[in-house]
């Protein structure tokens, strides 16, 4: 399949699934925190640990969150799409925050660890190589977005 | 312009207009400065410094849709010809609800990479489509499945082009006392251009430019893998995982390719069969920091290759590498009021590689400092 065929297919896929996407943008509310241990991204830490300020450090070990007690992410307004921890205790206020919450439910689906392009990786959630840096980067001319 | 093009543009405009009320744009800017002792990852031992500037924009016209644009430029100090631009865009759709028993993930991306004159032969366009699904039968067992279609097109040489599909199945089981077991199996098929065996020993001086397209034949590599993983927390601030991956090619005779004196840029750099075992530790022991360390060992058997420095085209032997790597990464995130997020990080890596081809026996250590701002 060529690029010119993929692009139109993506556009029409968006158009087809649109009708069901707009109904619950604003109606989302805060939810109970599920603290059951689960580790889908393979870092050994509990994915269900709460991370209210979305900095990637669970609240139980985050000194900064402890110092600023309630609803920290409401105060910061920051949306972390790469955070490995959940944050259901704060109601999403816009489309980006809602999408970030949906992304969390699919965090183990973005890569497969034995694919042709994944041979040198340490596995999802534990990327190795210069490209593993959060700011992106290149290793000898090979770049990752 | 055909009618279908107008229709497509109209649909896109409608999407953007109707979504404007609730849409939000997220920005991400990053800068990385690094040093690599062995830039090309071969016995030449070329070291260099580099600087990378990146920008990523995420647009969410709806809560289930992300449209992203990314641009990244890397400048090398000494090997300036390797400097390159990476740009692209993509769309991700998550049509399922947050609380649904089944999660669905649909993603499409296109990227283009452009080098300066010295390496323009590696200019390429990438396109991929990924679909993943996860189901939860209980809190302790989660199943997932996915498919990835990918196309890589090199602008100057069609003989490097590759098309592939990959499928995978996985199950994640949470055992008592916070032990997590994850097993994934997968299959991939990659179509590439192999050198015809008939020309071996016939042509002297096998410069790639002297070979016509008729001397190549399309072949397929069938790959299968199994990858079990064990992970668990160590105390309240640390997590550990151990992952084993065995990948093998289903075909006994899968053709020949040209090697490249530049390991990283070779279109076949990631095409190998063998075993890998890795372990990483993620820790929050240092206050306000995320510390990650990992060690890994790989046994890689590549496709049979011909190197440029060989004078005659002979039957090439398989290239086998034994690689050990260690890395350490420290991130210091700052979630600030006003929606700004700042994260400096430092990354260090050491690699030792022993190869059956002396060209690829090398060691390398690298250091990188990165700074990212998100809003």
């Amino acid at each position: 399949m060529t690029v010119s065929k993929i692009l139109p297919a993506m556009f029409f896929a968006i158009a087809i699934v649109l009708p069901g996407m707009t109904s619950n943008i604003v109606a989302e509310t805060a939810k109970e925190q599920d603290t059951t241990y689960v580790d889908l991204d393979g870092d050994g830490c509990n994915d269900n640990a709460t991370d209210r300020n979305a900095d990637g450090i669970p609240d139980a070990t985050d000194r900064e969150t402890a110092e600023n007690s309630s609803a920290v992410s409401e105060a910061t307004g920051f949306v972390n799409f790469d955070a490995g921890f959940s944050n259901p205790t704060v109601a999403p206020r816009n489309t980006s925050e809602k999408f970030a919450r949906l992304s969390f439910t699919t965090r183990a689906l973005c890569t497969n660890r034995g694919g042709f392009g994944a041979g040198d990786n340490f596995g999802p959630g534990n990327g190795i190589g210069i490209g593993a840096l959060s700011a992106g980067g290149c290793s000898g001319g090979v770049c990752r977005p | 312009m055909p009618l279908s093009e107008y229709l497509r543009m109209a649909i896109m405009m409608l999407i953007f207009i109707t979504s404007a009320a609730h849409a939000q744009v997220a920005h991400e800017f990053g800068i990385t400065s690094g040093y690599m002792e062995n830039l090309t990852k071969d016995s030449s031992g070329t070291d260099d410094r580099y600087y990378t500037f990146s920008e990523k924009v995420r647009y969410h016209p709806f809560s289930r849709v992300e449209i992203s644009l990314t641009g990244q430029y890397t400048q090398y100090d000494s090997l300036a010809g390797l400097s390159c631009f990476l740009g692209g865009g993509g769309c991700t759709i998550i049509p399922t609800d947050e609380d649904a028993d089944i999660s669905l993930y649909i993603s499409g991306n296109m990227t283009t990479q452009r080098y300066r004159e010295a390496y323009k032969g590696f200019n390429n366009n990438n396109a991929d489509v990924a679909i993943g699904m996860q189901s939860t039968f209980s809190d302790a067992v989660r199943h997932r499945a996915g498919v990835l279609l990918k196309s890589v097109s090199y602008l100057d040489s069609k003989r490097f082009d590759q098309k592939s599909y990959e499928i995978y199945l996985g199950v994640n089981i949470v055992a008592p006392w916070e032990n997590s077991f994850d097993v994934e199996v997968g299959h991939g098929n990659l179509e590439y251009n192999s050198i015809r065996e008939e020309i071996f020993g016939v042509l002297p001086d096998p410069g790639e430019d002297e070979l016509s397209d008729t001397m190549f034949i399309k072949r397929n590599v069938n790959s299968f893998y199994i990858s079990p993983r064990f992970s668990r927390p160590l105390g309240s601030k640390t997590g550990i995982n151990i992952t084993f991956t065995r990948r093998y090619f289903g075909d006994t005779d899968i053709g020949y390719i040209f090697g490249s004196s530049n390991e990283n840029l070779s279109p076949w750099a990631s095409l190998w069969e063998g075993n890998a075992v890795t372990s990483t530790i993620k820790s929050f022991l240092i206050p306000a920091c995320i510390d990650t360390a990992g060690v890994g060992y790989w046994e890689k058997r590549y496709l049979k290759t011909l190197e440029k420095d060989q004078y005659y085209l002979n039957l090439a032997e398989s290239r086998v590498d034994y690689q050990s790597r260690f890395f350490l990464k420290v991130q210091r995130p700052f979630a600030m009021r006003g929606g700004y997020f700042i994260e400096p990080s430092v990354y260090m890596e050491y690699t030792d590689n022993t190869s059956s081809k002396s060209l690829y026996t090398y060691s390398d250590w690298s250091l990188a400092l990165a700074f990212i701002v998100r809003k």
Side-chain angles (χ1 to χ4, degrees):
Chain A
M1 184 180 287
T2 62
V3 172
S4 61
K5 291 180 180 175
I6 291 176
L7 189 61
M10 286 171 55
F11 287 166
F12 282 107
I14 294 173
I16 289 169
V17 297
L18 266 181
M21 295 183 175
T22 57
S23 58
N24 57 352
I25 292 174
V26 187
E28 197 67 29
T29 57
K31 297 176 179 175
E32 289 293 318
Q33 173 70 58
D34 178 10
T35 56
T36 308
Y37 179 81
V38 62
D39 181 27
L40 297 183
D41 58 8
D43 63 359
C45 303
N46 184 5
D47 298 349
N48 282 331
T50 310
D51 179 17
R52 284 178 298 169
N53 66 349
D55 64 352
I57 302 175
D59 292 350
T61 60
D62 194 350
R63 183 183 62 190
E64 294 177 350
T65 305
E67 291 171 354
N68 302 281
S69 55
S70 63
V72 180
S73 66
E74 278 195 300
T76 61
F78 170 63
V79 182
N80 191 349
F81 299 95
D82 301 324
F85 302 105
S86 65
N87 185 19
T89 57
V90 178
R93 294 159 300 177
N94 54 49
T95 52
S96 291
E97 292 182 5
K98 179 70 190 303
F99 187 84
R101 294 236 310 227
L102 289 175
S103 296
F104 180 75
T105 66
T106 63
R107 60 195 177 283
L109 295 176
C110 310
T111 55
N112 53 325
R113 56 181 183 257
F116 290 118
D120 284 348
N121 290 344
F122 270 57
N126 296 285
I128 188 173
I130 300 299
L133 283 171
S134 54
C138 297
S139 174
V142 176
C143 304
R144 296 200 325 191
Chain B
M1 188 183 292
L3 184 61
S4 60
E5 290 294 319
Y6 286 110
L7 181 63
R8 200 174 299 154
M9 290 173 60
I11 291 172
M12 288 307 296
M13 288 180 65
L14 188 64
I15 291 171
F16 277 76
I17 291 171
T18 55
S19 65
H22 299 291
Q24 181 166 324
V25 177
H27 295 272
E28 181 177 312
F29 172 76
I31 180 170
T32 302
S33 175
Y35 169 82
M36 295 183 71
E37 184 192 30
N38 195 329
L39 185 69
T40 53
K41 294 191 185 302
D42 58 27
S43 57
S44 66
T46 307
D47 68 327
D48 208 348
R49 290 188 300 268
Y50 66 92
Y51 310 92
T52 297
F53 304 90
S54 64
E55 168 74 20
K56 185 168 187 176
V57 178
R58 301 169 187 262
Y59 174 62
H60 302 100
F62 304 103
S63 56
R64 300 176 192 276
V65 178
E66 176 179 274
I67 297 170
S68 63
L69 292 173
T70 184
Q72 182 174 298
Y73 181 75
T74 298
Q75 174 71 44
Y76 291 87
D77 257 7
S78 303
L79 204 60
L82 195 59
S83 301
C84 57
F85 170 79
L86 176 76
C91 178
T92 301
I93 301 172
I94 303 175
T96 48
D97 287 332
E98 191 177 354
D99 299 327
D101 291 333
I102 293 178
S103 300
L104 190 61
Y105 173 94
I106 305 167
S107 168
N109 295 283
M110 288 182 293
T111 58
T112 183
Q113 193 162 9
R114 296 289 185 274
Y115 296 88
R116 290 191 177 178
E117 187 68 21
Y119 289 90
K120 73 171 188 176
F122 291 105
N123 288 349
N124 64 79
N125 293 328
N126 279 263
D128 65 70
V129 174
I131 300 173
M133 185 179 73
Q134 179 171 271
S135 65
T136 307
F137 292 105
S138 73
D139 286 342
V141 181
R142 289 172 173 79
H143 298 77
R144 65 182 183 276
V147 59
L148 171 68
L149 307 174
K150 189 171 183 180
S151 169
V152 183
S153 303
Y154 286 81
L155 305 188
D156 286 357
S157 180
K158 295 297 180 190
R159 67 189 59 158
F160 288 164
D161 290 359
Q162 298 176 352
K163 292 178 183 175
S164 65
Y165 72 80
E166 298 168 8
I167 55 175
Y168 69 90
L169 298 168
V171 59
N172 185 284
I173 301 170
V174 179
W177 299 290
E178 297 189 334
N179 293 301
S180 178
F181 297 94
D182 191 288
V183 179
E184 189 176 294
V185 295
H187 162 63
N189 180 285
L190 182 140
E191 180 188 274
Y192 73 104
N193 295 302
S194 168
I195 304 166
R196 288 182 183 274
E197 287 86 341
E198 301 92 273
I199 67 170
F200 290 163
V202 176
L203 296 174
D205 193 6
E208 293 178 30
D209 295 337
E210 300 171 22
L211 296 176
S212 70
D213 289 340
T214 59
M215 296 176 178
F216 292 86
I217 185 172
K218 286 197 182 300
R219 285 184 182 271
N220 289 275
V221 173
N222 283 296
S223 163
F224 302 89
Y225 75 87
I226 181 167
S227 177
R229 181 184 72 200
F230 169 73
S231 62
R232 61 159 291 124
L234 295 175
S236 61
K237 297 183 178 181
T238 304
I240 186 172
N241 79 66
I242 299 173
T243 306
F244 174 78
T245 304
R246 174 172 177 76
R247 180 168 64 180
Y248 68 97
F249 297 147
D251 312 87
T252 54
D253 181 17
I254 48 180
Y256 303 86
I257 58 172
F258 277 111
S260 169
S261 61
N262 195 323
E263 153 78 345
N264 274 352
L265 294 183
S266 168
W268 299 280
S270 65
L271 197 57
W272 52 267
E273 63 175 347
N275 302 316
V277 58
T278 65
S279 179
T280 61
I281 293 179
K282 186 175 183 179
S283 171
F284 308 100
L285 288 171
I286 300 175
C289 289
I290 305 170
D291 317 303
T292 313
V295 60
Y297 179 75
W298 286 262
E299 293 176 355
K300 305 177 181 177
R301 186 163 54 255
Y302 291 84
L303 295 181
K304 295 175 181 177
T305 59
L306 298 172
E307 300 300 331
K308 287 180 180 177
D309 57 358
Q310 288 181 270
Y311 189 76
Y312 291 102
L313 284 173
N314 293 313
L315 287 175
E317 297 300 322
S318 293
R319 173 188 159 195
V320 182
D321 284 18
Y322 303 94
Q323 186 178 92
S324 302
R325 292 162 77 187
F326 166 80
F327 82 94
L328 176 66
K329 180 169 70 171
V330 179
Q331 301 161 263
R332 175 49 170 111
F334 295 90
M336 309 177 76
R337 293 182 182 276
Y340 286 95
F341 177 85
I342 297 172
E343 184 181 83
S345 59
V346 58
Y347 183 91
M348 187 188 73
E349 180 182 331
Y350 178 78
T351 303
D352 181 79
N353 196 79
T354 302
S355 176
S356 60
K357 289 182 178 292
S358 58
L359 177 65
Y360 295 121
T361 295
Y362 66 89
S363 65
D364 168 52
W365 71 268
S366 57
L367 177 70
L369 304 173
F371 186 81
I372 191 168
V373 179
R374 291 171 174 158
K375 173 71 171 73

